[in-house]
Amino acid sequence: MRSPLVLDVARLGRRPGAMMPVQQSVPCPSRIGLELMAIDAGTDLDLDLRLESVSEGVLVTGTVSAPTKGQCSRCLEPITGEIEIYLTELFAFPGSATESTTEADEVGHVVDQTIDIEQSIVDAVGLALPFAPVCSDDCPGLCTQCGVVLATAEPDHGHDVIDPRWAKLSGMFPDKEPPTP
């Protein structure tokens, strides 16, 4: 079964200047993104692309947008968002000067009159998403002692922590009531 991100470019031929718009929604074939934030598999990717035949191959320009899901890197609460990336990628024709002078992973290739834009999208999304997403800029995160979400904790939330260097002294002196006059 062919990926929805493999596009047929047979209509373009090898005539420089030929253009073909692609405006469609396709399901994301796999999870695309980073550890804490990504586009889930099966989510609709909105493609608004322009495929142009140029002397060396097929030039793809346009935008790809999709909803994202993840979790806040501070409090681990679920968060959602939207991403829109701009693509500009050249896919080299077989036998072109571009194909023969570049490394295999530096440029995409036209294979059997098709191009696969998935890796281009994966690369662009990986660069556009935040490495440490947050639910809000002032998210306080989790309590380091008990793990409660500090944004929803009581205002006076806190823990009495005894410095381990002084911990033995805490048991030496029992709590005494102050003398009454």
Side-chain angles (χ1 to χ4, degrees):
M1 188 170 156
R2 193 166 90 173
S3 167
L5 297 176
V6 174
L7 305 176
D8 187 358
V9 295
R11 284 187 12 209
L12 285 176
R14 291 185 93 161
R15 298 177 315 273
M19 194 268 299
M20 180 174 75
V22 174
Q23 293 178 326
Q24 61 186 19
S25 289
V26 298
C28 187
S30 62
R31 184 178 187 276
I32 297 176
L34 305 173
E35 187 73 26
L36 292 176
M37 187 69 124
I39 302 168
D40 285 337
T43 302
D44 281 344
L45 295 172
D46 295 325
L47 306 177
D48 186 9
L49 303 173
R50 185 170 140 171
L51 310 180
E52 292 180 81
S53 181
V54 294
S55 60
E56 292 296 310
V58 175
L59 180 65
V60 177
T61 57
T63 60
V64 177
S65 57
T68 57
K69 286 185 180 178
Q71 63 185 144
C72 177
S73 62
R74 294 181 190 162
C75 68
L76 305 178
E77 290 293 311
I79 55 175
T80 59
E82 289 282 327
I83 187 169
E84 182 174 277
I85 56 168
Y86 187 77
L87 288 181
T88 302
E89 288 289 326
L90 176 67
F91 292 84
F93 285 132
S96 67
T98 300
E99 182 185 54
S100 61
T101 59
T102 58
E103 296 291 325
D105 61 346
E106 287 181 3
V107 68
H109 300 278
V110 177
V111 178
D112 297 329
Q113 299 296 316
T114 63
I115 57 173
D116 187 354
I117 63 171
E118 183 173 357
Q119 189 59 49
S120 301
I121 293 172
V122 168
D123 294 345
V125 167
L127 292 173
L129 286 175
F131 186 69
V134 291
C135 56
S136 66
D137 289 336
D138 61 344
C139 176
L142 300 173
C143 175
T144 58
Q145 299 297 314
C146 66
V148 72
V149 177
L150 290 174
T152 60
E154 297 174 7
D156 61 343
H157 181 81
H159 301 275
D160 291 333
V161 180
I162 299 174
D163 187 325
R165 296 171 292 183
W166 300 99
K168 285 195 175 196
L169 292 176
S170 67
M172 293 180 71
F173 303 103
D175 291 337
K176 290 186 179 179
E177 297 272 335
T180 54

